[in-house]
């Protein structure tokens, strides 16, 4: 039996077999070659293998999802036959005398940068395709397998780290637990684990070896321990604890349908956070009173191109209709930082968390923003929708947003498209927004405090950097004061204030939030009933 410790994100226990998730990136090295003809022959063989893989993928996609979706593999084949691309690779091999893996990767990056710099959004999106085909060829050259996630049974995913784009593509019904070597407890993978309510450890002191694949393991999210090949007695003990946890969760179910009200009659709304459309089932199952944060950027991740208005409208409509009149707060696109999609063509940045992201993209690439707003307003006719905007730092931004919103509404009205009444709010997740919350409150209908980013920016601690976890104090007085100040300023202006960051689910602060007069807490679906239970025991 081997045993490793990690930082637990979700207090659950999982038992199952390990699936080692290999990274897309290879450990690419640049080598000088002697024989260019031989290297060209290696490249040609890998290219023809890639062509036949693409043929096969095209056929599979055709039968499974239809011609439109299958076309992408045809596009990839065309790119792999592009003379400019092939000549650039050949030149590197013959003139620069570098190995084929390096020549293909470097050419892929050069072409991706050219596509990303084009004005046309369709062409920008091709940046991801050229990287994809280059990755495929390199994978073949290195003799690596396809790194998709296709387990037969639900598994414990063991990875060095996982990006939101990687997790979005995974079939969630096949995941029993996550164990990552890197990753911080505040990252979006941790948030995903919380929303799935599955045992998860990050920052685990393990060196991942391919031979772990398929071995039996236990992820103990209560103790923060990962066991590989557990002893029979330990396995038995953990299975018993797992059942007890399930029993406690079962007991909380009796709070379904009950009010979130303290013994002395103070009420607070308990909403749920979600990222994928499928999460709405968990939101309903856990009896959330609304959706306090729909992270809409998840619709944009793990794909090759922008989701269009129609596709977004269908997704929002599905969620709004499923909530049957309960409030759904849709946050507009918060892409950037760790949430990346190649087709946006975003330049690499020194400080992405403080970079070109979220509302900053929406206000400079208005077409993307308008498409999303049109889709949300159209969905608003099917229930109760609110919109909130991320990463706000000024009154000016809100005024610009409101002008665009008015234009979008007028456009829809002129097309005779029905819309509902929509509240507009902002996320208070920058210290700037909290400090000038008195000024911002006059501009919007509500505030939702994003404590994840608010803490990151207030404490100057990168939420992605696990080395900083020991310094990350989620109860830091500075953060709590900013929260209190935001609530007071919101209430003075007569608007409601909630929390949608992870701190909202911190049971040790529930009473403090109720005392502050917080109107709403939006937490992961699996925390809704726990927090309701906590509220009902106050007073
Ligand atoms: C936050 O920053 O607290 C928040 C809710 O947004 P996200 O975690 O998606 O950045
Ligand atoms: Mg945030």
């Amino acid at each position: 039996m081997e045993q490793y410790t990690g930082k637990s994100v979700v207090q659950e226990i999982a038992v199952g077999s390990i699936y080692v998730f290999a990274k897309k990136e290879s450990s690419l090295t640049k080598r000088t070659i002697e024989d260019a003809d031989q290297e060209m022959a290696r490249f040609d063989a890998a290219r023809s293998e890639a062509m036949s893989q693409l043929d096969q993928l095209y056929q599979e996609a055709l039968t499974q999802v239809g011609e439109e979706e299958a076309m992408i593999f045809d596009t990839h084949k065309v790119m792999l036959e592009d003379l400019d691309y092939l000549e650039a690779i050949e030149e590197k091999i013959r003139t620069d005398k570098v190995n084929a893996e390096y020549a293909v990767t470097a050419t892929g990056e050069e072409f991706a940068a050219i596509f990303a710099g084009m004005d046309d959004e369709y062409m920008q999106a091709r940046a991801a395709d050229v990287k994809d085909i280059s990755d495929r060829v390199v994978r073949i050259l290195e003799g690596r397998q396809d790194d998709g996630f296709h387990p037969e049974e639900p598994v414990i995913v063991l990875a060095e780290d996982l990006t939101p784009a990687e997790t979005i593509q995974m079939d969630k019904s096949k995941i029993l637990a996550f164990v990552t070597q890197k990753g911080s407890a505040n990252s979006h993978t941790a948030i995903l684990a919380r929303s799935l309510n599955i045992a998860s450890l990050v920052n685990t002191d393990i060196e991942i070896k391919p031979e772990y694949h398929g071995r039996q393991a236990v992820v103990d999210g209560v103790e923060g321990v990962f066991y590989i090949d557990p002893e029979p007695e330990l396995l038995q003990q953990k299975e018993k604890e797992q059942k007890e946890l399930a029993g406690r969760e079962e007991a909380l179910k009796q709070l379904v349908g009950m009010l979130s009200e303290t013994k002395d009659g103070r009420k607070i709304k308990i909403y749920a956070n979600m990222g994928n459309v499928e999460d709405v089932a968990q939101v309903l199952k856990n009896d959330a009173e609304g959706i306090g944060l729909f992270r809409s950027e998840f619709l944009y991740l793990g794909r090759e191109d922008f989701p269009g208005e129609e596709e977004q409208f269908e997704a929002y409509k599905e969620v709004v209709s499923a909530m049957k009149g309960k409030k759904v707060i849709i946050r507009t696109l918060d892409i950037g930082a760790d949430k990346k999609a190649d087709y946006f063509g975003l330049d690499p940045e020194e400080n992405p968390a403080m970079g070109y992201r979220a509302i900053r993209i929406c206000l400079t690439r208005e077409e993307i923003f308008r498409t999303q707003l049109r889709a949300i307003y159209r969905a608003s006719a099917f229930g109760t929708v609110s919109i909130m905007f991320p990463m706000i730092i000024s009154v000016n931004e809100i005024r610009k947003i409101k002008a665009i919103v008015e234009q979008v509404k007028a456009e829809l009205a002129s097309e005779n498209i029905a819309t509902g009444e929509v509240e507009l709010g902002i996320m208070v997740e920058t210290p700037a927004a909290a400090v000038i919350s008195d000024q911002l409150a006059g501009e919007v209908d509500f505030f939702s405090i994003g404590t994840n980013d608010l803490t990151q920016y207030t404490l100057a601690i990168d939420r992605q950097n696990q080395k900083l976890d020991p310094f990350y104090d989620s109860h830091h007085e500075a953060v709590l004061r900013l929260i209190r100040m935001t609530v007071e300023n919101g209430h003075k202006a007569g608007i409601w204030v909630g929390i949608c960051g992870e701190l909202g689910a911190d049971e040790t602060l529930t009473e403090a939030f109720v005392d502050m007069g917080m109107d709403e807490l939006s937490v992961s679906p699996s925390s809704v009933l726990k927090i309701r239970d906590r509220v009902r025991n106050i007073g």
Side-chain angles (χ1 to χ4, degrees):
M1 178 167 86
E2 293 174 43
Q3 122 179 30
Y4 303 94
T5 50
K7 188 165 175 59
S8 173
V9 177
V10 180
Q11 314 273 304
E12 292 283 339
I13 294 174
V15 177
S17 59
I18 299 174
Y19 188 102
V20 176
F21 184 81
K23 275 271 153 218
K24 262 214 165 88
E25 290 85 20
S26 63
S27 52
L28 186 70
T29 49
K30 183 178 180 179
R31 279 188 290 111
T32 307
I33 48 131
E34 300 281 308
D35 187 342
D37 285 338
Q38 195 186 350
E39 204 60 14
M40 273 310 292
R42 279 186 71 226
F43 168 66
D44 286 336
R47 187 173 80 93
S48 66
E49 168 61 22
M51 290 297 260
S52 59
Q53 284 184 3
L54 289 166
D55 268 336
Q56 200 182 336
L57 285 166
Y58 177 83
Q59 289 307 329
E60 280 171 18
L62 199 61
T63 48
Q64 287 170 21
V65 283
E67 188 168 356
E68 211 179 316
E69 313 287 329
M71 280 307 289
I72 185 69
F73 300 114
D74 242 8
T75 310
H76 282 194
K77 277 178 63 183
V78 172
M79 286 184 158
L80 211 39
E81 284 169 330
D82 181 85
L83 283 183
D84 289 338
Y85 175 75
L86 297 178
E87 277 166 13
I89 293 171
E90 181 159 3
E91 181 171 336
K92 288 186 179 57
I93 294 177
R94 294 198 185 278
T95 318
D96 304 344
K97 297 250 180 288
V98 293
N99 54 321
E101 291 87 338
Y102 183 82
V104 172
T105 305
T107 306
E109 278 167 8
E110 281 163 23
F111 276 63
I114 295 170
F115 282 128
M118 291 182 178
D119 277 341
D120 183 302
E121 280 188 4
Y122 176 83
M123 293 312 288
Q124 287 172 1
R126 304 284 71 80
D129 294 323
V130 76
K131 271 203 193 147
D132 243 33
I133 56 159
S134 307
D135 280 351
R136 179 176 300 284
V137 175
V138 171
R139 226 165 29 224
I140 296 165
L141 281 165
E142 292 181 336
R144 284 186 292 134
Q145 296 299 311
D146 173 19
D147 50 10
F149 177 70
H150 314 288
E152 281 169 17
E153 303 278 358
V155 287
I156 294 168
V157 178
L158 175 62
E160 191 185 301
D161 200 2
L162 291 163
T163 66
E166 281 163 345
T167 53
I168 195 86
Q169 295 179 73
M170 292 179 166
D171 176 354
K172 314 292 179 302
S173 67
K174 294 281 170 62
I175 307 174
L176 290 174
F178 286 122
V179 177
T180 61
Q181 188 185 6
K182 297 186 181 158
S184 96
N186 307 298
S187 65
H188 282 90
T189 303
I191 292 173
L192 174 74
R194 281 190 206 105
S195 80
L196 295 173
N197 197 33
I198 54 175
S200 295
L201 303 180
V202 293
N203 199 5
T204 313
D205 64 349
I206 184 171
E207 199 190 310
I208 298 173
K209 301 178 191 152
E211 57 265 32
Y212 286 148
H213 196 82
R215 306 251 290 263
Q216 197 186 32
V218 172
V219 183
D220 183 345
V222 181
E223 304 282 343
V225 186
F226 179 46
Y227 302 93
I228 299 179
D229 300 330
E231 310 282 357
E233 306 78 57
L234 180 104
L235 186 62
Q236 235 179 11
Q237 171 63 21
K238 293 298 159 192
E239 280 173 340
K240 191 170 145 243
E241 290 172 18
Q242 193 183 28
K243 281 210 188 83
E244 284 164 7
L245 278 173
R248 251 175 271 159
E249 275 157 31
E250 199 53 37
L252 280 175
K253 285 204 186 130
Q254 67 189 26
L255 297 182
V256 167
M258 299 224 182
L259 285 176
S260 305
E261 186 175 2
T262 62
K263 287 184 185 149
D264 53 4
R266 291 176 290 162
K267 293 194 183 71
I268 186 163
K269 293 191 175 79
I270 310 208
Y271 285 7
N273 294 346
M274 57 172 279
N276 302 305
V277 173
E278 312 89 76
D279 296 348
V280 77
Q282 285 302 318
V283 173
L284 292 167
K285 192 171 143 216
N286 288 286
D287 194 37
E289 293 152 53
I291 292 170
L293 167 62
F294 179 175
R295 288 186 165 93
S296 69
E297 59 277 6
F298 279 74
L299 294 176
Y300 293 72
L301 295 177
R303 52 186 294 146
E304 306 285 330
D305 208 345
F306 291 93
E309 177 182 324
E310 211 51 38
E311 181 181 343
Q312 290 193 54
F313 163 64
E314 289 299 336
Y316 302 140
K317 181 178 153 202
E318 190 178 331
V319 173
V320 170
S321 309
M323 291 302 287
K324 296 199 171 67
K326 287 184 179 172
K327 191 180 284 184
V328 178
I329 305 177
I330 302 175
R331 171 176 74 187
T332 58
L333 183 62
D334 184 12
I335 209 94
D338 64 321
K339 290 177 279 193
K340 290 197 194 73
D342 286 347
Y343 62 84
F344 273 81
L346 301 177
D347 294 331
E349 293 180 293
E350 290 281 330
N351 280 310
M354 295 196 279
Y356 183 55
R357 56 175 292 196
I359 202 68
R360 299 166 186 179
I361 296 179
C362 290
L363 287 176
T364 45
R365 290 171 73 177
E366 271 188 36
E367 274 321 297
I368 301 175
F369 195 33
R370 283 174 193 276
T371 303
Q372 179 170 40
L373 289 171
R374 278 183 63 97
I376 300 176
Y377 268 95
R378 284 174 59 193
S380 70
F382 296 84
T384 310
V385 171
S386 302
I387 307 181
M388 69 178 173
F389 305 97
M391 293 292 293
I392 295 295
I393 56 168
S394 72
V395 167
N396 202 14
E397 284 168 343
I398 303 178
R399 298 211 173 129
K400 279 192 193 144
I401 292 167
K402 287 202 290 196
I404 297 172
V405 165
E406 284 312 314
Q407 286 165 10
V408 166
K409 280 164 67 179
E411 206 175 271
L412 291 169
S414 74
E415 293 165 32
N416 286 324
I417 295 176
T419 57
E421 278 295 312
V422 176
E423 270 187 326
L424 297 181
I426 58 163
M427 303 224 12
V428 175
E429 56 180 344
T430 62
V435 170
I436 60 162
S437 52
D438 54 340
Q439 294 174 14
L440 301 176
E443 300 287 331
V444 291
D445 300 315
F446 67 94
F447 283 155
S448 185
I449 306 174
T451 52
N452 310 336
D453 280 318
L454 185 61
T455 309
Q456 147 163 278
Y457 300 126
T458 304
L459 305 186
I461 286 184
D462 177 355
R463 65 193 263 196
Q464 294 297 119
N465 186 342
Q466 78 267 18
K467 275 209 196 104
L468 301 178
D469 277 354
F471 296 94
Y472 189 95
D473 173 8
S474 59
H475 292 194
H476 194 291
E477 182 59 23
V479 177
L480 296 177
R481 282 195 206 176
L482 288 176
I483 294 175
R484 181 183 298 279
M485 191 167 146
T486 305
V487 175
E488 286 170 3
N489 285 330
H491 286 174
K492 266 189 222 149
I495 64 170
W496 68 263
V497 184
I499 293 184
C500 63
E502 298 295 299
L503 204 61
D506 185 330
E507 292 174 67
T508 63
L509 288 174
T510 311
E511 185 158 4
F513 292 148
V514 170
D515 289 345
M516 278 182 207
M518 193 70 72
D519 301 282
E520 175 242 27
L521 295 173
S522 191
V523 300
S524 66
S526 60
S527 298
V528 168
L529 295 174
K530 262 185 266 178
I531 298 297
R532 181 174 296 162
D533 189 37
R534 182 71 204 95
V535 169
R536 290 172 63 85
N537 283 303
I538 295 172

